[in-house]
Amino acid sequence: MNKTAVISGASSGLGYELSKLLCQKYGCRVIGLARRKEKLDVIREELGENFVPFVCDVTKEDDRQNLFDFVTENGIKPDILINNAGILPEFACYTPEKADELRRVMELNFHAHVEMCTLFLPLLLESEHGAIVNVASSAALATLPGTAAYSASKSALLAFTESLSLEYGKSLFVAAVCPGMTATELFSSHEGSNLIDKFAPSAEKTAKKIVRRLRRGREMIVTGADAHLMSILRRFLGRPALKIFAFFFKIVKIPMFTGTFYKKTR
Ligand SMILES: NC(=O)c1ccc[n+]([C@@H]2O[C@H](COP(=O)([O-])OP(=O)(O)OC[C@H]3O[C@@H](n4cnc5c(N)ncnc54)[C@H](OP(=O)(O)O)[C@@H]3O)[C@@H](O)[C@H]2O)c1
């Protein structure tokens, strides 16, 4: 492949595995973005000079501009932008107290990625094989209870991505990735996250699937049995599918979903 990719959220999980694959298997140069410098430095040690670590909080305009200046001043011509950084707050019922959290989630999971596309679009269009890959989620395909902020942010990102893909046609390859649950740090602060570590596929496996399908030119990539099931049921049953999922989580009492259902106190 031998391309240059800019990947956000490269310090762990899917971003790290995608960086590793692109550097080691496909000979790409990866500009890996994240806030934790120490993590990026360890990855640079592991992956060698194909991995260029760059500390960047993608929600900060100054950081994004520093990255853009670094790229242009060094004559780097990016071919691929992978907007992968993301956060998932603990699953909980949406209440007025959650309004600030919702804004923070939208800021990273949606607005920052739109800003990155805005900044890099002209450079990507100069590449013969320019590509934007936005990592959304199965939460954009079917909404689970307790995920108002996350699902809203990922649905917005999916719609933005689909629109870009229609508008740019053959001038730019634009893909959306909707992974199902994958064992990464995303859930580390969540109650019951050990279940995910036990049953969900590894980030390595998911990243391999994503790259394989991107190489086949797939513009919509769904990974994981849970994501496929959610997507199919939502498509065929419509809104009642969401009620079935919610009912299931309520009766099975999965620890992760315990705070998601509103209880009237009087
Ligand atoms: N794991 C799943 O089950 C799953 C399912 C569907 C979708 N996804 C999506 O996949 C993407 C990757 O998540 P993951 O599962 O690999 O989780 P992860 O291991 O927690 O990775 C998240 C990455 O985002 C980075 N990040 C967080 N805030 C940032 C910011 N403001 N600026 C720059 N980087 C930031 C983190 O690095 P620093 O902390 O060093 O900045 C980290 O590298 C996310 O968009 C997530 O929503 C994951």
Side-chain angles (χ1 to χ4, degrees):
M1 219 183 329
N2 292 318
K3 299 218 173 82
T4 297
V6 176
I7 305 185
S8 67
S11 61
S12 64
L14 289 173
Y16 160 71
E17 294 293 346
L18 289 170
S19 302
K20 189 171 162 182
L21 266 178
L22 292 186
C23 284
Q24 291 187 333
K25 189 160 178 204
Y26 297 104
C28 294
R29 173 169 52 169
V30 169
I31 309 192
L33 318 177
R35 294 163 304 170
R36 287 171 295 175
K37 182 179 182 316
E38 64 291 353
K39 283 255 190 185
L40 291 176
D41 288 343
V42 172
I43 298 170
R44 160 72 180 216
E45 285 286 305
E46 182 195 349
L47 302 184
E49 62 184 24
N50 270 2
F51 184 80
V52 181
F54 196 95
V55 175
C56 176
D57 181 335
V58 288
T59 63
K60 294 194 173 145
E61 192 181 348
D62 286 354
D63 282 19
R64 291 191 302 262
Q65 192 57 50
N66 286 342
L67 164 72
F68 187 76
D69 293 345
F70 168 79
V71 166
T72 49
E73 281 162 17
N74 287 286
I76 299 170
K77 298 196 181 303
D79 304 288
I80 308 167
L81 170 65
I82 303 185
N83 289 306
N84 162 75
I87 40 170
L88 168 67
E90 285 216 42
F91 294 4
C93 174
Y94 182 79
T95 59
E97 293 74 33
K98 296 269 174 204
D100 284 344
E101 182 180 82
L102 186 140
R103 275 186 213 101
R104 267 201 314 280
V105 173
M106 288 299 290
E107 203 53 52
L108 174 60
N109 291 3
F110 178 60
H111 293 294
H113 301 329
V114 173
E115 296 291 353
M116 288 289 283
C117 292
T118 310
L119 203 54
F120 281 94
L121 250 174
L123 292 183
L124 296 168
L125 287 167
E126 281 173 19
S127 164
E128 228 178 289
H129 303 286
I132 291 178
V133 178
N134 288 333
V135 180
S137 166
S138 54
L141 306 172
T143 307
L144 298 181
T147 67
Y150 188 72
S151 293
S153 69
K154 294 297 187 178
S155 301
L157 183 62
L158 178 59
F160 177 75
T161 311
E162 287 176 345
S163 185
L164 282 194
S165 150
L166 298 172
E167 292 154 19
Y168 283 86
K170 290 204 165 73
S171 308
L172 191 68
F173 174 74
V174 184
V177 179
C178 293
M181 284 190 176
T182 306
T184 68
E185 288 179 17
L186 196 71
F187 295 94
S188 52
S189 62
H190 293 218
E191 200 178 327
S193 63
N194 55 330
L195 281 178
I196 305 238
D197 293 339
K198 213 164 158 184
F199 295 111
S202 68
E204 184 184 1
K205 202 169 162 189
T206 302
K208 278 186 182 155
K209 277 190 186 161
I210 293 171
V211 173
R212 226 176 9 242
R213 291 177 199 177
L214 284 174
R215 280 171 60 75
R216 283 192 214 131
R218 295 274 288 274
E219 291 173 335
M220 174 68 171
I221 297 168
V222 178
T223 69
D226 58 333
H228 284 288
L229 182 70
M230 282 162 70
S231 162
I232 289 167
L233 289 181
R234 173 72 211 240
R235 206 169 329 140
F236 289 109
L237 300 181
R239 276 287 293 280
L242 307 185
K243 304 224 168 184
I244 295 170
F245 299 142
F247 178 71
F248 173 75
F249 291 127
K250 207 169 187 172
I251 55 163
V252 172
K253 292 197 168 64
I254 296 176
M256 213 170 263
F257 290 90
T258 45
T260 58
F261 300 102
Y262 178 69
K263 285 191 197 89
K264 209 165 186 173
T265 45
R266 42 187 181 100

